[in-house]
Amino acid sequence: MAGSNPNAKPMNLTLKVWRQKNRNAQGSIVDYQVKDISPDMSFLEMLDVLNEDLLRQGEEPVAFDHDCREGICGSCNLFINGRAHGPEPGTTTCQLHMRKFNDGDTITIEPWRANAFPVNKDLSVDRSAFDRIIQAGGYISVNTGGTPDANEIPIPKEIADRAFEAATCIACGACVASCKNASAMLFVSAKVSQLALLPQGHVERKSRVENMVAQMDKEGFGACTNIGSCAAECPVGISLENIAILNREFLAAKATSNNLA
Amino acid sequence: MSWITKTFSSSIGRKIIMAVTGLFLCSFLVVHLVGNLQLFKADNGVAFNAYSEFMGHNPLIRTLEIVLVLGFGFHIYEGLALAAKNRAARGNQGYVVDHIEQNSSWHSRSMALLGSIVLFFLIVHLYNFFGSLRFTDVPRDANGNEDAYALVLAAFKNPFYVVLYVIGQVALLYHLLHGFSSAFQTLGLTHRKYTPAIKFIGYGFSIIVCAAFAAMPIYFFFFK
């Protein structure tokens, strides 16, 4: 294979995978053996190999979410060996390569665990709670019509950079999965600070944070205790500073918005 | 529900209650510690008893005592309630393999446990001193002040209390090591210039305050 490491030996692995038929079924860990795994494979390709084996044996393949496999869509949410997206920092599951593991390893693969993220099947969880939080206020309203001129609203580079950093959140849910409180505050704070930094976000600034936090609570996520697991596990490096900004935005909005309800 | 109750029943609002009451209780620790340092004065408790008499009867202090009880009450209630809510948010099925120790510190994850140990200590502590001074007739010293110093002497000759008090302070130390800077983060007070200083002061505060409090039972047990 072009670009592959000629010294890399294929690996044999034991997988302990969470299997669960549907949302209401009782799940459990099932052991599988996978053989001849190339160290150049991504973690998802390794699971593809497992699923091909299972299909050949007439068994139900393991359901897991994935889409772009380039680390930008945030779909591939697996809890690998006790860590969200596995043990590598700043990495999504699809960008985790099998060379980070050793021949003969046992790898435990579980779905995200949070009341607000119910397991659909096996390793696939329902993260629509995030969509509903975004629907509650994670947007800006713009007038329809012609395309506005670029740079019509001047934004200093420093502000644009900070907003962009917050905007890199891919909504994978690793923050919720790794938080002992299943708190979604890192996710919510990334969107709130991104839009609070930009002039386009100022129109709905107060109602946005009020509504997004209300929806976050309604979905049943926990409260933040500042332990920092979320930021440590975030594949794109969203910083804890955003949660402080969220708290500030929330308090300021509650104190000064015209919303009496 | 009015906007105020809604604010303070939201997850962020409840964290703000924890932060504000927590920092208020830190200020109480300073006052309590400064007063109690008089225990180390070699006057057989004359100054400490006078201070204790003042604290027990001054109307301003008695009024602030109510605020203090409210501070403790909110901090304890919200702390326990949030811990239960957060545990429930994780769901019934936890991870089979969880290496959370690789991404966060033990004491930051154990605030409810540490707080509960401090609460147990607090109850025993109130029973030892506050209860006796407020609700029973305590013998008076030569200056006519209630002899709180004698209560301290008696309590800290009991090895059970000495060990419990030291454990209470160790739990408080770890509680504060996370709690102090965490409160500032919750209040949105972070800045790359000041946050390192807040963390440093928090560590210094926690160590100095808890070491000084823990020194009291040890000093009385071994040297009095």
Side-chain angles (χ1 to χ4, degrees):
Chain A
M1 204 193 297
S4 68
N5 177 0
N7 299 321
K9 283 194 196 133
M11 302 187 287
N12 296 331
L13 302 163
T14 303
L15 303 180
K16 290 179 164 297
V17 184
W18 183 263
R19 301 301 309 261
Q20 182 172 338
K21 270 199 159 43
N22 56 52
R23 202 174 273 207
N24 303 317
Q26 190 74 29
S28 66
I29 292 280
V30 178
D31 290 14
Y32 297 102
Q33 306 291 329
V34 282
K35 293 193 163 58
D36 294 330
I37 296 297
S38 161
D40 295 324
M41 281 180 182
S42 76
F43 199 87
L44 297 183
E45 285 169 329
M46 184 275 295
L47 287 179
D48 291 339
V49 171
L50 168 69
N51 276 348
E52 280 171 24
D53 287 350
L54 289 176
L55 281 169
R56 239 176 266 128
Q57 292 156 17
E59 286 182 47
E60 181 89 5
V62 177
F64 62 93
D65 286 329
H66 59 99
D67 190 15
C68 75
R69 299 205 178 198
E70 294 183 321
I72 52 171
C73 75
S75 299
C76 53
N77 36 25
L78 298 179
F79 206 78
I80 301 162
N81 280 347
R83 304 279 299 273
H85 295 299
E88 283 294 299
T91 307
T92 55
T93 301
C94 64
Q95 297 298 297
L96 175 66
H97 286 83
M98 297 314 293
R99 55 178 167 268
K100 302 291 181 188
F101 298 89
N102 297 311
D103 186 31
D105 275 2
T106 298
I107 306 174
T108 307
I109 313 168
E110 298 172 76
W112 283 175
R113 294 292 183 198
N115 253 357
F117 288 166
V119 173
N120 282 331
K121 186 178 182 179
D122 299 335
L123 301 171
S124 167
V125 300
D126 177 359
R127 288 174 301 145
S128 56
F130 270 12
D131 299 336
R132 289 187 291 275
I133 293 174
I134 293 294
Q135 280 162 12
Y139 53 82
I140 56 163
S141 299
V142 289
N143 293 324
T144 55
T147 316
D149 281 345
N151 301 325
E152 191 181 24
I153 306 170
I155 299 166
K157 169 94 167 88
E158 194 198 331
I159 300 290
D161 284 349
R162 283 175 65 198
F164 182 78
E165 262 173 44
T168 55
C169 171
I170 54 177
C172 67
C175 44
V176 174
S178 54
C179 176
K180 78 174 183 65
N181 310 324
S183 171
M185 287 212 191
L186 195 68
F187 164 74
V188 175
S189 72
K191 191 52 68 188
V192 166
S193 34
Q194 177 208 337
L195 297 178
L197 281 160
L198 299 173
Q200 291 92 333
H202 281 201
V203 184
E204 291 126 338
R205 186 172 182 173
K206 292 172 187 174
S207 61
R208 171 181 308 115
V209 65
E210 288 186 320
N211 293 338
M212 286 182 78
V213 169
Q215 188 64 34
M216 172 181 84
D217 288 348
K218 202 170 145 193
E219 298 290 350
F221 292 104
C224 178
T225 51
N226 303 324
I227 64 173
S229 293
C230 53
E233 297 293 6
C234 177
V236 296
I238 301 293
S239 122
L240 279 183
E241 202 183 346
N242 289 300
I243 296 184
I245 295 173
L246 169 70
N247 294 341
R248 225 152 53 208
E249 289 288 322
F250 178 77
L251 205 53
K254 283 291 179 192
T256 62
S257 79
N258 288 326
N259 177 21
L260 286 173
Chain B
M1 247 192 312
S2 85
W3 67 273
I4 297 174
T5 49
K6 244 184 188 166
T7 301
F8 291 106
S9 59
S10 73
S11 54
I12 296 181
R14 296 176 74 181
K15 293 303 302 175
I16 288 169
I17 292 175
M18 290 303 289
V20 170
T21 54
L23 288 177
F24 168 66
L25 295 176
C26 282
S27 75
F28 156 73
L29 285 177
V30 175
V31 176
H32 193 36
L33 176 65
V34 170
N36 282 17
L37 283 178
Q38 294 172 96
L39 283 170
F40 292 119
K41 206 174 170 190
D43 63 353
N44 282 321
V46 172
F48 181 74
N49 285 344
Y51 157 76
S52 170
E53 186 80 20
F54 169 79
M55 293 305 269
H57 297 94
N58 181 284
L60 181 67
I61 301 290
R62 292 295 300 272
T63 312
L64 280 175
E65 198 174 271
I66 298 166
V67 181
L68 183 64
V69 169
L70 287 175
F72 269 111
F74 274 107
H75 195 77
I76 292 164
Y77 169 75
E78 286 290 357
L80 292 173
L82 278 169
K85 176 189 141 95
N86 287 344
R87 195 171 285 246
R90 201 38 169 317
N92 295 325
Q93 176 65 50
Y95 293 111
V96 177
V97 178
D98 192 355
H99 286 299
I100 197 167
E101 79 284 353
Q102 292 171 0
N103 58 38
S104 56
S105 62
W106 174 82
H107 64 277
S108 74
R109 298 191 307 270
S110 310
M111 292 300 275
L113 170 71
L114 292 166
S116 300
I117 296 171
V118 175
L119 175 60
F120 178 70
F121 157 78
L122 177 70
I123 292 166
V124 174
H125 181 51
L126 286 173
Y127 163 77
N128 283 157
F129 301 115
F130 181 84
S132 302
L133 288 167
R134 182 61 53 83
F135 302 112
T136 64
D137 276 332
V138 176
R140 291 179 181 272
D141 67 6
N143 298 323
N145 295 322
E146 283 184 320
D147 200 354
Y149 189 79
L151 291 177
V152 176
L153 266 177
F156 291 161
K157 281 295 160 199
N158 183 340
F160 168 76
Y161 284 138
V162 174
V163 170
L164 179 74
Y165 274 54
V166 171
I167 291 173
Q169 291 313 305
V170 172
L172 180 62
L173 168 68
Y174 279 100
H175 197 72
L176 290 176
L177 282 180
H178 179 66
F180 190 91
S181 54
S182 176
F184 285 87
Q185 163 82 3
T186 297
L187 294 173
L189 300 172
T190 59
H191 193 281
R192 55 194 64 186
K193 276 184 182 161
Y194 307 114
T195 300
I198 291 169
K199 288 209 165 130
F200 181 78
I201 292 167
Y203 273 67
F205 177 87
S206 316
I207 293 166
I208 291 167
V209 167
C210 296
F213 275 128
M216 289 165 194
I218 294 171
Y219 171 73
F220 275 80
F221 186 72
F222 287 108
F223 302 110
K224 279 285 166 178

